[in-house]
């Protein structure tokens, strides 16, 4: 005689009734039967914590009595807590309290994970619960689970991501229209692709949080937002984009996580966010508009790319619900999902030790010996030049200048930076008009 | 007082010492320490079953005493069995015996899974063990786990895959060189991209097995190889490729798994493998050479694409080892990984009920009324025409013919097929020069 399987619903508490929370509630309700089949037990929303009561939320198809402003109480009576409030507090306290009360947690909170992930991972371990957060990086794109699980038997060398939709939309629009940064951001704002205050996106803060999460998982180490070198796209000009096009490249804001050997021979991580030229032949170059993509290089697997929508209510909810099913299944079958590990404990190396290539445009005097003097500065700093292109420009007053475009071979960022600084001080150099890194080859 | 964690090695039996088996053994040995950290216990290879003893395998870095020709005995003394022999037997019997003896199984055997997956899934369930097979579809690309786990909270509408590297290499080479099928296959054979007998690849058998596995997982139903409509690429001509280019498309062999509503209103699955035109703007169009990619459309997530190497020793081994770590973790933490489910139990609909678009080239007489007679055949079958392009050709003898290129809107494959049959019988039609399906928009 077999016992009938336990069909007691698993209690789900939802923290946050905004765009993502609304999508989660709606999809969870609409797909209830499918989810119950996939999990082995039904899910039941036991409450939705919102900041303000009384707003009409009849579009979500859930019982209005479920809404509460008392999130702290709600997390004490759930098997699974879904946190889509965002921000550091009260999200962190609520998650920790949920875990103390025995609930597993699904969160989309990249800022919190990138600032204080280890506290959460430790709490999950201590209380024997699961903590999943696929939605925190690249929205709907399954990327954290592939890195953590699918590539668990491989050794990841490098992760390069386009993980911020706003900046990709802006750079893509600049590339196709030739317009400048400021006017393109305005257009993105008008179209809903950029916030009224776009700082978190255009200054790279959002991408840096995701780079921290990706680096931690890919290299089994602890990397926080503050460890990530960060440069935004506010300085990228129409001229930079045109220069990129001239050499068969496009400009993307990249989150780069690399395993590198530092100058003293120790193994470490380079984690950085900055705009960079990538060749049009690179798979990341074809990621248009607000799409996201993550390119992964691993020893065994070789090159992989994961592409899709990085934001939006339903795409983010899809990732949240995938985690929710995984966490719920673990409740049903016993056991815990794979947790984080930081056993490798690799240090994050300073930006100066990152190995990159540079694309440098110089406005120089048009006279003999200038190229030689410029080249000798590169040589002094052990930076090898890959290509030089010289173009003579005659100004309105009849005087001649030359534009030098130099692309280097790979060198440490410190050596490249020192080279550019010295070039800036040369008598023969009128102006260093543009300096951009080149990635992806 | 905490008890020291159990560090007894998990016993791994490897069935198959070929290219993939060799890569698995080598990577498993080289990364032993990392894998032990990720799993929580070390792995120990307890035997490698090979067909013939005595071959020098010193390059794998494993103890020569581990090689055995007695696979049946080996599977009885392992915690985890990795099967990379391929083929139906003895692989099936060995896997079933391994499960009976309590071992979890990792396999790359697409043919076996597509022919007799349900037997294996049932055995895994009966014996409470895990059966993982990420390597069976698209090599290194994490695709099965994302579909099964990451999208478990979503509803998948369509999966379109380039899942056979040989045919993609051939079609890509035909596209870039203008060469015909036969000479391109010879070139692919010379370069090692096609087998001496390329039937399984060019006739679509390999892709059909993968389409069966993808359909089963995506739609929680049982789909076998034999259920998949299959057309290979042997009939694709240089003229077809040129016609595709003229309309801004490229030709790819696609494995298509769709959730569809059949003519009687019942829900079902369309599972098919055939060459098709896709627009150059579609992400799958840029998948070059022998690379694989799988494009997924889901209700919440929207459009996703997964890209990477679909074959080769190390890429396949990467997928096998990812599964091995997952299975081993489940042994350590308790619980089982998510299994298959067929609860939706959707039927596979006949090819005639698939909804596709057609690209039809006709060689017709150059006289008035021809277009009208052709158009009326489409209308009779309720097939709506999207575009018509007509081009007049004067032959050497001075007589004129016209080439009509017609692209239809979406209609059932049955209606399209009946339309083409009737066109073929028209007096005014000299020849139906090409019929290709159009996908991806």
């Amino acid at each position: 005689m077999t016992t009938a399987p336990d069909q007691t619903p698993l209690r789900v508490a939802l923290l946050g009734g905004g765009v993502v929370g609304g999508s989660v509630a709606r999809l969870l309700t609409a797909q209830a039967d499918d989810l119950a089949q996939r999990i082995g037990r039904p899910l039941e929303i036991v409450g939705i914590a919102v900041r303000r009561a009384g707003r009409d939320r009849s579009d979500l198809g859930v019982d209005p009595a479920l809404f509460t402003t008392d999130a702290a109480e709600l997390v004490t009576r759930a098997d699974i807590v879904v946190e889509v409030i965002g921000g550091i507090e009260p999200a962190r306290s609520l998650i920790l309290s949920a875990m103390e009360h025995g609930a597993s947690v699904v969160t989309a909170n990249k800022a919190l994970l990138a600032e204080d992930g280890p506290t959460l991972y430790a709490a999950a371990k201590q209380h024997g619960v699961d903590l999943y957060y696929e939605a925190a990086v690249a929205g709907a794109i399954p990327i954290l689970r592939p890195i953590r699980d699918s590539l668990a038997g491989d050794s990841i060398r490098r992760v390069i991501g386009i993980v911020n939709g706003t900046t990709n939309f802006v750079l893509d629009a600049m590339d196709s229209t030739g317009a400048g940064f400021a006017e393109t951001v305005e257009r993105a704002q008008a179209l809903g692709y950029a916030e009224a205050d776009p700082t978190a996106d255009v200054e790279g803060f959002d991408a840096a949080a995701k780079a921290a999460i990706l680096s931690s998982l890919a290299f089994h180490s602890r990397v926080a937002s503050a460890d990530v070198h960060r440069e935004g796209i506010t300085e990228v000009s129409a001229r930079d984009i045109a220069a990129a096009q001239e050499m068969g490249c496009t400009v993307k804001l990249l989150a780069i996580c690399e395993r590198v050997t530092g100058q003293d021979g120790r193994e470490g991580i380079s984690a950085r966010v900055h705009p960079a030229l990538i060749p049009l032949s690179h798979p990341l170059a074809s990621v248009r508009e607000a799409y996201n993509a993550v390119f992964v290089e691993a020893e065994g697997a070789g090159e992989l790319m994961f592409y899709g929508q990085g934001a939006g209510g339903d795409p983010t909810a899809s990732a949240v619900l995938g985690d929710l099913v995984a966490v719920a299944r673990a409740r049903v079958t016993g056991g815990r999902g794979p947790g984080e590990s930081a056993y490798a404990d690799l240090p994050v190396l300073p930006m100066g030790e990152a190995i990159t290539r540079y694309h440098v445009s110089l406005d120089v005097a048009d006279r003999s010996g200038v190229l030689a003097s410029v080249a000798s500065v590169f040589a002094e700093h052990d930076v090898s030049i890959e290509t030089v292109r010289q173009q003579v420009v005659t100004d309105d007053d009849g005087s001649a200048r030359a534009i030098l475009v130099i692309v280097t071979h790979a060198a440490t960022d410190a050596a490249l930076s020192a080279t550019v600084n010295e070039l800036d001080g040369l008598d023969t150099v009128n102006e260093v008009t543009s300096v951009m890194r080149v990635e992806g080859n």
Side-chain angles (χ1 to χ4, degrees), chain A:
Chain A
M1 197 182 104
T2 16
T3 329
D6 181 5
Q7 285 298 311
T8 321
L10 289 161
R11 299 165 299 162
V12 177
L14 182 53
L15 309 182
V19 175
V20 175
S23 283
V24 170
R26 194 171 41 72
L27 291 171
L28 205 154
T29 307
Q31 301 185 103
D33 292 347
D34 272 315
L35 297 179
Q37 292 279 3
R38 295 175 194 173
I39 292 163
R41 270 168 69 182
L43 297 175
E44 182 191 351
I45 301 182
V46 293
I48 303 177
V50 293
R51 217 175 307 166
R52 285 180 304 275
R55 214 180 98 196
D56 177 30
R57 290 184 170 88
S58 53
D59 55 312
L60 304 184
V62 296
D63 180 354
L66 292 176
F67 291 99
T68 170
T69 52
D70 191 352
E73 182 274 335
L74 177 59
V75 301
T76 64
R77 51 183 176 92
D79 298 305
I80 302 168
V81 170
V82 175
E83 184 273 305
V84 287
I85 309 174
I88 306 301
E89 284 294 349
R92 174 169 48 200
S93 302
L94 291 169
I95 290 174
L96 292 173
S97 168
M99 290 175 172
E100 273 165 35
H101 286 88
S104 286
V105 173
V106 175
T107 175
N109 196 327
K110 57 189 170 281
L112 176 57
L113 290 162
E115 178 166 312
D116 201 17
T119 300
L120 304 185
Y121 311 147
K125 193 167 181 186
Q126 185 194 339
H127 301 293
V129 297
D130 282 322
L131 172 67
Y132 275 51
Y133 48 89
E134 180 64 78
V137 179
I141 309 173
I143 180 61
L144 302 187
R145 186 178 271 109
I147 286 180
R148 193 187 54 192
D149 299 356
S150 306
L151 292 169
D154 207 328
S155 178
I156 295 174
R157 280 197 298 257
R158 183 180 289 124
V159 178
I160 307 183
I162 294 173
V163 291
N164 180 271
T166 302
T167 47
N168 201 58
F169 181 88
V170 169
L171 292 171
D172 183 41
M174 287 174 72
D175 187 274
S176 50
T177 64
F181 173 76
E183 62 176 297
T184 309
V185 167
E186 276 175 33
R187 199 180 127 212
Q189 285 168 324
L191 292 169
Y193 286 110
E195 307 269 349
D197 175 2
T199 310
D201 295 316
V202 299
E203 294 289 5
F205 289 101
D206 174 81
K210 292 163 179 171
I213 296 170
L214 289 169
S215 297
S216 302
L217 279 178
F219 306 121
H220 299 272
S221 297
R222 290 187 174 168
V223 181
S225 276
D227 302 325
V228 178
H229 174 85
R230 179 187 51 75
E231 298 171 30
I233 65 164
T234 54
E235 302 295 317
V236 177
S237 65
R239 192 162 60 174
D240 291 334
I241 304 273
Q245 289 174 341
E246 271 169 39
M247 60 177 282
C249 289
T250 186
V251 177
K252 296 288 186 192
L253 181 70
L254 301 179
I256 301 172
C257 316
E258 283 179 318
R259 194 161 171 153
V260 288
T261 306
Q263 281 170 309
D264 54 0
R266 75 199 161 133
E267 285 284 290
I269 295 167
S270 173
R272 55 193 204 266
V273 169
H274 56 70
L277 274 63
I278 52 168
L280 293 179
S281 58
H282 194 282
L284 287 173
S286 57
V287 178
R288 310 294 304 270
E289 300 176 345
Y291 274 86
N292 280 200
V294 182
F295 188 79
V296 178
E297 294 173 49
E299 292 297 333
E303 299 182 345
L304 301 169
M305 192 170 84
F306 305 80
Y307 166 94
Q309 292 184 62
D314 281 4
T316 308
S318 169
V320 166
L321 286 172
D323 280 353
L324 181 54
V325 170
V327 162
R329 273 175 175 164
R331 291 259 151 176
V332 172
T333 65
R336 283 185 57 210
E340 284 56 44
S341 74
Y343 72 85
D345 203 19
L346 295 173
V348 178
L349 301 184
M351 183 60 189
E353 297 190 35
I355 307 293
T356 67
R357 295 166 64 215
Y358 265 24
H359 173 281
V360 183
S361 300
L362 304 173
D363 184 327
V364 298
D366 180 33
R367 60 172 191 261
S368 66
V370 171
L371 181 55
S373 69
V374 165
S376 72
V377 173
F378 281 89
E380 270 164 41
H381 293 280
D382 276 332
V383 176
S384 166
I385 291 175
E386 187 185 308
T387 60
V388 180
R389 207 153 42 86
Q390 177 158 0
Q391 190 189 349
V392 175
V393 180
T394 308
D395 286 332
D396 292 344
D397 63 0
S399 66
R401 301 174 293 127
I403 306 294
L404 277 185
V405 178
I406 296 167
V407 179
T408 73
H409 283 293
T412 64
D413 203 76
L416 288 159
S417 176
T419 306
V420 170
N421 276 344
E422 194 172 330
L423 289 172
D424 215 10
L426 281 191
D427 279 352
T428 49
V429 172
N430 301 325
E431 192 192 354
V432 178
T433 47
S434 151
V435 178
M436 281 183 294
R437 297 190 184 84
V438 182
E439 300 282 347
N441 54 335

